[in-house]
Amino acid sequence: MSSIKIELRQEDVNKIREICDSFNNDHQELINILHKCQQHFGYLPAEVQEVVSDCSGIPVAKIYGVVTFYSFFTMTPRGKHPISICMGTACYVRGAEKVLDEFVKELGIKAGETSPDGKFSISSLRCVGACGLAPLVLVGDKTYGRVAPDDVKNIIKEYEEL
Amino acid sequence: MQILVCAGTGCQASLSEELLSQLNSEIEANELENDVQAIRTGCFGFCEQGPIIKIMPDNTFYTQVKPQDATEVIQEHIIKGRRVERLLFTDPETKEKIADSRKMGFYKKQMRIALRNCGFIDPDNIDDAIAKDAYEALGKVVTEMSPEEAIETLKKSGLRGRGGGGFSTGLKWEYAFKNRADQKYVVCNADEGDPGAFMDRSILEGDPHTVLEAMAICGYCIGADKGLIYIRAEYPLAIERLKTAIVQAREYGLLGKSIFGTDFSFDIELKYGAGAFVCGEETALIHSMEGERGEPTVKPPFPAESGFMGRPTNVNNVETFASIPPIYLKGADWFAKIGTNRSTGTKVFALAGKVNNVGLVEVPMGITLRDVIFEIGGGIKNGKKFKAIQTGGPSGGCLTEEHLDTPIEFDTLLAVGSMMGSGGMIVLDEDDCMVEVSKYFLDFTVEESCGKCSPCRIGNKRLHELLEHICKGNAEESDLDRLRNMSTVIKESSLCGLGQTSPNPVLSTLDNFMNEYLAHVIDKKCPAGACKELMNYVISETNCVGCTACARVCPVNAISGERKEPHFIDISVCIKCGACMDKCKFDAISIQ
């Protein structure tokens, strides 16, 4: 599990309880519970999983198994401006890898990592279905289409001041 | 008059929402509210040219419309009745402006059944859908037909599953119908995980009611009162539209208790996926819906016997469901006449990659790949040469020039070493290295393998490593035999569809592009110039004027030379970033 230890505040614990209760602590709803928790915390650290286990009675090992199985769930905090580069086939053949490399070079972090100041994180994702705009980059909810490696600097600049 | 504004994911990403609000404020400013409506619709399919708007009833099709174009569209087209020429689509070959979408190459050979309402109705408005016959088929089935009759109709239509397997939908329903149980389930597989495929998302975003209707029909036929849609969390827009559609259908009594005054009840709930490709496999999908890791289990038992919660469950994908209502309205014979004998009806493809017209196309089965790529797709981008078409995603294969006249059918594609899959079609040109492309797909499989069975977990990893060696020039000819043997073993011994098909990209490229593999392992060259490790940048002595621009931009100081003298690249230092080539104004740097 992640090495970063965090301490949950009482209100966070209450929030998790509230989420679990809203699904009647139903074991079948585990994935939905985790979706809601990730929406709230931005990620699913071990501590959150432990509370979910306490509330729902699902063993924490099983929760960990589910969290690590699905790529949508993450145990590391994402940056304030999460950058996702689409690596679907259509984007890939139109040069998405070069765009990803450029982000890695500019920000000095690898895919899957978050910059030390917590501002940016890079991840690759599989097809958002806007293949007409390939290659595609998402920063938060904003979409950038037909991105060339040369555009990368400017995209980062937009968010540096924010 | 109506202005239809595409609000599919592709067009939204290029600001179609802003365009819509600009159009609305222009309509208001000119007091045209009573005569003109700007309506948000689903995907028109022609994503390459987005954002797209279409003006009805005259069918004028404007492409790449920006929010700031709203004023001109309203002033010129709506008020003065003159077309805005500069926003019309230009035929790339004849350079002619085409106003009517029905005359465009992209649409001419298409036939829309599953996508029939996408781009024509407001997906958030059930009345719009009902005006286009939504729920009429459901009404007919529950009031006029017995479940047996309805299943018989479906069998007669020849409809086969559009999600990849190509199994007869009618037979599948019949199995679920025949298994007796107190509770049964209808599941819609909307976990479209294939990279480069977006047909299911477009249907859900553009015409959610057709899926709800078909699920209800299925419920009536197999004897289920509960439907579940398993949808990816990565599709927020589709989720929103489905939620709205379900609420509206309940309000109209089209979902819920005693539908159409009969004693048939049916309701639908959403279940969210969390990003796992293997969940497209029905048993894995069912485990995921139960809150477990999405790992597949051995069939039998099939879901039709023991599925969700151990009850008989029928799983179909979005496109299959979307094709069903018209079969009941127009008849099984009508559907069976479209397409070919063994593959009836139409199929939606997501055409993408190095092709001029990227987008969603629906064509009758049996059409040739050539028609799809060159007629509908408008040929290869930037005048490059066609090399291959990849169909079926990570489970499919690459087909070449010689397969271009192959009719698109479930069985013919299998026979030539690829598959229909869910309908992704990625066009590749001369710059794509086929070894690299198979490595890309293996990279995907390795990441998405659930790890339950060893052939898939370990075998695919080894395949990927071998391909990596080949791309780096570290492999020998004998490695190609290993590649083939291992692929065969993985195919034969894996537990589920993922492992049983994952070596297909490797096998089909070995069959069709052996020369490229040989060039990598024997000559240590990449003919397409795509594999970084196998290429070198060189400066031509005759073209170089010694401007030093390249030496200054080189991040590792690999370039040396005196001013006004030809420069040289030290290959042992060069990291092949290509910065020098981009910088050179004299075309003196090339890849060898």
Side-chain angles (χ1 to χ4, degrees):
Chain A
M1 291 194 190
S2 70
S3 54
I4 326 156
K5 275 274 165 216
I6 57 154
E7 211 149 300
L8 292 178
R9 290 166 301 175
Q10 189 54 44
E11 58 189 272
D12 290 334
V13 175
N14 292 344
K15 179 74 197 174
I16 301 172
R17 278 188 193 289
E18 194 185 301
I19 292 170
C20 290
D21 286 343
S22 72
F23 290 104
N24 301 323
N25 291 312
D26 188 347
H27 290 205
Q28 263 184 45
E29 298 289 349
L30 178 60
I31 291 173
N32 282 338
I33 293 172
L34 294 173
H35 269 302
K36 288 271 186 230
C37 288
Q38 182 159 305
Q39 254 171 30
H40 182 75
F41 294 100
Y43 68 120
L44 294 169
E47 291 77 5
V48 169
Q49 298 175 33
E50 281 160 16
V51 181
V52 172
S53 169
D54 280 345
C55 298
S56 62
I58 304 170
V60 76
K62 197 189 145 186
I63 297 174
Y64 178 69
V66 169
V67 169
T68 50
F69 185 83
Y70 296 97
S71 64
F72 198 82
F73 297 134
T74 168
M75 287 182 60
T76 41
R78 296 198 302 167
K80 190 175 162 205
H81 306 293
I83 300 170
S84 314
I85 295 102
C86 180
M87 290 294 257
T89 322
C91 287
Y92 185 80
V93 301
R94 286 201 187 174
E97 204 174 20
K98 289 198 182 97
V99 175
L100 173 65
D101 289 348
E102 197 65 22
F103 273 107
V104 168
K105 204 171 95 193
E106 283 296 321
L107 293 172
I109 49 170
K110 287 192 214 123
E113 290 181 352
T114 305
S115 62
D117 60 2
K119 217 164 216 176
F120 294 103
S121 56
I122 306 180
S123 61
S124 61
L125 55 83
R126 302 283 188 197
C127 201
V128 288
C131 306
L133 298 170
L136 192 93
V137 172
L138 287 167
V139 183
D141 290 334
K142 192 166 174 198
T143 316
Y144 296 83
R146 300 196 177 93
V147 178
D150 287 347
D151 304 329
V152 167
K153 265 194 188 131
N154 288 330
I155 294 177
I156 295 174
K157 215 180 250 169
E158 270 183 53
Y159 294 90
E160 250 158 11
E161 307 299 314
L162 294 176
Chain B
M1 274 176 123
Q2 287 182 326
I3 307 176
L4 306 175
V5 182
C6 176
T9 295
C11 286
Q12 280 207 344
S14 32
L15 306 179
S16 73
E17 281 295 323
E18 277 90 331
L19 171 63
L20 182 70
S21 62
Q22 281 294 324
L23 285 168
N24 273 324
S25 41
E26 283 295 325
I27 291 171
E28 244 173 71
N30 293 290
E31 293 174 9
L32 295 165
E33 293 97 327
N34 295 330
D35 310 309
V36 185
Q37 287 172 292
I39 295 170
R40 180 190 288 123
T41 69
C43 184
F44 287 95
F46 204 178
C47 307
E48 181 79 40
Q49 296 288 331
I52 287 167
I53 65 173
K54 192 164 167 181
I55 299 181
M56 297 302 273
D58 56 310
N59 241 317
T60 307
F61 196 83
Y62 289 128
T63 57
Q64 298 188 2
V65 188
K66 297 183 185 60
Q68 58 266 30
D69 296 328
T71 320
E72 200 176 338
V73 170
I74 300 291
Q75 287 297 334
E76 288 294 310
H77 191 119
I78 305 293
I79 297 176
K80 296 182 187 145
R82 292 192 295 233
R83 279 184 176 138
V84 185
E85 289 287 320
R86 67 179 181 89
L87 294 175
L88 292 176
F89 174 71
T90 315
D91 188 305
E93 265 180 29
T94 60
K95 304 284 170 227
E96 210 182 313
K97 296 268 183 195
I98 304 174
D100 188 338
S101 59
R102 290 166 297 192
K103 294 194 178 119
M104 285 159 53
F106 183 75
Y107 287 106
K108 248 191 273 174
K109 291 214 166 172
Q110 290 200 48
M111 177 176 190
R112 299 193 149 205
I113 295 177
L115 296 175
R116 62 197 178 282
N117 291 335
C118 285
F120 290 99
I121 60 166
D122 177 353
D124 285 332
N125 184 345
I126 191 171
D127 294 323
D128 247 31
I130 290 173
K132 293 270 181 192
D133 304 334
Y135 298 101
E136 204 179 312
L138 174 64
K140 184 173 166 189
V141 171
V142 299
T143 55
E144 296 170 20
M145 295 169 106
S146 69
E148 290 90 340
E149 282 166 355
I151 291 173
E152 200 48 44
T153 305
L154 202 57
K155 274 164 68 182
K156 236 171 91 190
S157 76
L159 177 68
R160 293 168 68 172
R162 270 30 177 170
F167 190 75
S168 159
T169 309
L171 278 177
K172 207 171 184 177
W173 286 21
E174 194 173 57
Y175 293 140
F177 166 73
K178 284 186 175 160
N179 282 303
R180 291 180 178 277
D182 53 340
Q183 174 76 58
K184 295 184 190 179
Y185 296 97
V186 176
V187 172
C188 172
N189 180 353
D191 187 54
E192 191 170 43
D194 214 348
F198 50 100
M199 57 287 293
D200 291 349
R201 124 173 261 164
S202 295
I203 292 171
L204 294 170
E205 287 175 2
D207 190 11
H209 288 286
T210 187
V211 178
L212 305 185
E213 178 184 10
M215 286 178 72
I217 294 175
C218 178
Y220 175 78
C221 288
I222 69 167
D225 62 0
K226 198 145 180 81
L228 300 156
I229 302 178
Y230 183 80
I231 185 165
R232 311 175 70 192
E234 288 92 332
Y235 281 1
L237 188 62
I239 292 174
E240 276 318 305
R241 297 216 169 129
L242 272 174
K243 280 185 181 164
T244 312
I246 291 173
V247 170
Q248 290 178 347
R250 281 186 196 140
E251 277 169 15
Y252 277 58
L254 297 164
L255 285 178
K257 297 232 175 299
S258 47
I259 294 168
F260 286 99
T262 63
D263 54 8
F264 170 60
S265 302
F266 192 76
D267 208 354
I268 295 176
E269 196 186 305
L270 298 186
K271 286 268 181 188
Y272 303 110
F277 179 65
V278 71
C279 289
E281 202 280 341
E282 24 179 43
T283 60
L285 182 150
I286 287 168
H287 295 307
S288 180
M289 290 201 308
E290 291 167 345
E292 306 276 334
R293 288 164 67 99
E295 288 172 353
T297 38
V298 183
K299 294 193 273 194
F302 288 90
E305 304 154 59
S306 170
F308 185 63
M309 309 294 291
R311 300 301 194 338
T313 303
N314 179 70
V315 186
N316 285 128
N317 103 316
V318 173
E319 193 190 331
T320 314
F321 278 126
S323 307
I324 289 171
I327 294 176
Y328 288 106
L329 291 179
K330 299 187 182 173
D333 293 336
W334 162 80
F335 191 84
K337 266 191 205 128
I338 303 164
T340 63
N341 270 343
R342 303 200 50 199
S343 298
T344 57
T346 55
K347 175 81 190 85
V348 184
F349 291 99
L351 189 61
K354 309 282 185 62
V355 64
N356 276 317
N357 303 335
V358 166
L360 210 59
V361 305
E362 182 168 356
V363 288
M365 295 272 193
I367 191 172
T368 62
L369 287 165
R370 188 186 299 281
D371 277 348
V372 172
I373 302 167
F374 292 93
E375 298 274 323
I376 297 173
I380 311 302
K381 235 182 162 53
N382 303 324
K384 297 263 184 178
K385 200 168 167 293
F386 167 83
K387 186 185 228 170
I389 180 158
Q390 209 280 343
T391 67
S395 314
C398 292
L399 300 176
T400 64
E401 187 102 45
E402 61 172 300
H403 302 114
L404 280 179
D405 294 310
T406 309
I408 301 174
E409 287 176 278
F410 287 102
D411 312 290
T412 49
L413 287 180
L414 273 180
V416 292
S418 187
M419 68 186 286
M420 184 83 82
S422 61
M425 268 195 183
I426 310 281
V427 179
L428 305 169
D429 71 8
E430 53 192 304
D431 295 337
D432 291 305
C433 166
M434 301 314 290
V435 186
E436 160 107 49
V437 168
S438 24
K439 192 180 88 183
Y440 165 82
F441 282 113
L442 256 296
D443 188 51
F444 178 87
T445 319
V446 167
E447 204 164 289
E448 294 295 344
S449 169
C450 78
K452 185 169 177 172
C453 71
S454 357
C456 178
R457 182 182 68 242
I458 304 170
N460 282 316
K461 179 86 183 152
R462 295 288 99 86
L463 275 189
H464 184 254
E465 283 167 0
L466 265 181
L467 289 167
E468 224 159 32
H469 285 317
I470 298 173
C471 287
K472 285 184 177 163
N474 298 333
E476 288 162 20
E477 211 179 329
S478 61
D479 286 329
L480 298 184
D481 292 329
R482 287 178 58 207
L483 202 60
R484 188 181 287 277
N485 288 339
M486 204 147 52
S487 297
T488 322
V489 172
I490 296 170
K491 261 179 94 98
E492 283 170 2
S493 54
S494 290
L495 173 67
C496 81
L498 192 141
Q500 286 159 10
T501 56
S502 63
N504 283 354
V506 180
L507 287 170
S508 77
T509 47
L510 275 173
D511 286 342
N512 294 322
F513 297 95
M514 193 56 174
N515 285 342
E516 279 193 38
Y517 278 91
L518 289 174
H520 281 78
V521 294
I522 297 174
D523 310 332
K524 312 288 178 200
K525 281 204 172 102
C526 173
C531 295
K532 247 190 191 176
E533 273 83 359
L534 297 180
M535 60 194 193
N536 286 315
Y537 286 89
V538 284
I539 300 177
S540 134
E541 278 188 42
T542 44
N543 285 8
C544 179
V545 298
C547 72
T548 74
C550 57
R552 274 179 281 138
V553 79
C554 178
V556 290
N557 296 323
I559 305 178
S560 57
E562 294 298 317
R563 260 189 100 74
K564 304 203 172 170
E565 297 284 333
H567 280 48
F568 301 96
I569 300 176
D570 183 348
I571 294 171
S572 61
V573 181
C574 174
I575 54 163
K576 298 161 186 173
C577 67
C580 53
M581 195 158 115
D582 293 339
K583 203 76 193 170
C584 181
K585 289 181 188 147
F586 306 95
D587 282 336
I589 303 177
S590 59
I591 299 171
Q592 271 186 1

